[in-house]
Amino acid sequence: MALRHEPTASYHSVQDALRVLETVARRGTGINETELARETGIATERLTTLLRMLRREAYVEQITDGAYVTGAAFARLGSADGHRQALRDTLQRTLDRLRDSVGAAVYLSRYVDGEVSVTQYADSPATPKVNEWVDFRYSAHATAVGKSLLTQLDHEGRRDHLARHRPARLTSRTITSDRLLLSKLAAQPPTVPVLDLQEYAVGTVCAAVPLTAGSTAGCLALSLPLEHAHRLRRAADTLNRNATPVLLSLAI
């Protein structure tokens, strides 16, 4: 199985953010924004936006003379000891912020060893997570999470998954035809969120955006009750625009 590598805006932002972090780390005593722009070649306006995000996520911090140095989150993730827990904690804080900004439950998922896995999520009493009435491993054909992950596989990878997990009808909107589903997955643009409009569960709508990190397909998703369906596309666009910190955490 191979992944389709179609870089998204978040992917490009992460590459720029990593260049900034590498430059800051190299200049251990601090580097100002003018020097960063010159050394990275990143335009001033874009650099300012990246630095704002990196400060919010504690990857960099400003010292008294305004110069930038690496921050606490970068130190934690860069340490060999406790990296896994530091990554989980960092991702959870980011997911919690995303939940509050989009007003929906938010999920982080990966495609591991041929199976869909929801690795972390952020919900609340006001933004409850979806009721997993059918195991997500067996319902990729019907969920935004599953379809987003499948779009990142090559054609043979998708066919293999559907051969192992035959598409079952979960609601009247569920696509059960392999041919139709494969056609829709192939036509899905990587920059457009994948939607689930009551295909998995009646009364629930979802959206997902890709997070391809290295050789593993991943995605960031949200779910809303049907009465908030009018907010889905705007919330999905917000999720898409703010996926960079999650992808960056996975890349460090």
Side-chain angles (χ1 to χ4, degrees):
M1 181 196 74
L3 298 186
R4 291 197 309 170
H5 289 283
E6 299 183 63
T8 61
S10 291
Y11 174 86
H12 290 301
S13 292
V14 166
Q15 297 310 301
D16 286 346
L18 287 171
R19 277 160 58 202
V20 172
L21 279 173
E22 287 166 1
T23 305
V24 172
R26 220 168 33 240
R27 294 279 292 271
T29 57
I31 182 171
N32 64 39
E33 194 165 338
T34 301
E35 293 172 315
L36 269 171
R38 184 172 62 248
E39 293 195 22
T40 62
I42 299 171
T44 302
E45 185 177 347
R46 180 166 177 75
L47 179 60
T48 299
T49 300
L50 286 170
L51 286 170
R52 187 181 304 120
M53 181 273 289
L54 291 170
R55 286 180 64 190
R56 186 183 68 238
E57 301 294 327
Y59 289 121
V60 301
E61 59 182 59
Q62 272 186 300
I63 52 181
T64 51
D65 63 355
Y68 290 91
V69 295
T70 55
F74 183 77
R76 286 195 298 269
L77 289 176
S79 170
D81 296 329
H83 171 81
R84 181 174 295 182
Q85 188 59 48
L87 175 60
R88 187 169 185 84
D89 293 345
T90 299
L91 287 171
Q92 193 61 51
R93 284 192 294 271
T94 303
L95 293 177
D96 289 345
R97 278 197 297 272
L98 281 172
R99 174 201 60 206
D100 296 340
S101 67
V102 301
V106 175
Y107 312 79
L108 178 62
S109 302
R110 309 294 295 277
Y111 193 76
V112 182
D113 296 329
E115 301 294 350
V116 172
S117 174
V118 175
T119 55
Q120 282 180 253
Y121 64 88
D123 66 347
S124 72
T127 56
K129 65 183 179 70
V130 68
N131 173 34
E132 190 179 350
W133 75 284
V134 176
D135 193 315
F136 290 143
R137 290 176 297 173
Y138 311 130
S139 54
H141 65 289
T143 64
V145 162
K147 288 186 289 182
S148 180
L149 294 173
L150 291 177
T151 62
Q152 296 171 61
L153 308 183
D154 61 13
H155 182 70
E156 288 308 311
R158 295 176 201 146
R159 286 177 59 88
D160 172 73
H161 184 92
L162 296 178
R164 288 183 291 108
H165 301 300
R166 300 300 306 160
R169 187 171 302 282
L170 307 183
T171 77
S172 62
R173 293 173 177 265
T174 307
I175 298 173
T176 57
S177 162
D178 283 15
R179 183 177 178 182
L180 179 57
L181 184 60
L182 288 168
S183 174
K184 284 183 173 293
L185 292 173
Q188 175 69 33
T191 56
V192 178
V194 178
L195 303 182
D196 156 20
L197 305 176
Q198 299 190 90
E199 294 173 54
Y200 174 73
V202 174
T204 300
V205 294
C206 305
V209 297
L211 288 177
T212 303
S215 60
T216 303
C219 75
L220 196 57
L222 64 87
S223 65
L224 288 166
L226 183 60
E227 56 265 31
H228 292 285
H230 61 282
R231 295 201 294 114
L232 182 64
R233 290 187 184 274
R234 182 177 297 178
D237 288 340
T238 301
L239 193 71
N240 208 5
R241 288 195 306 272
N242 291 279
T244 300
V246 177
L247 192 52
L248 181 59
S249 297
L250 295 171
I252 292 177

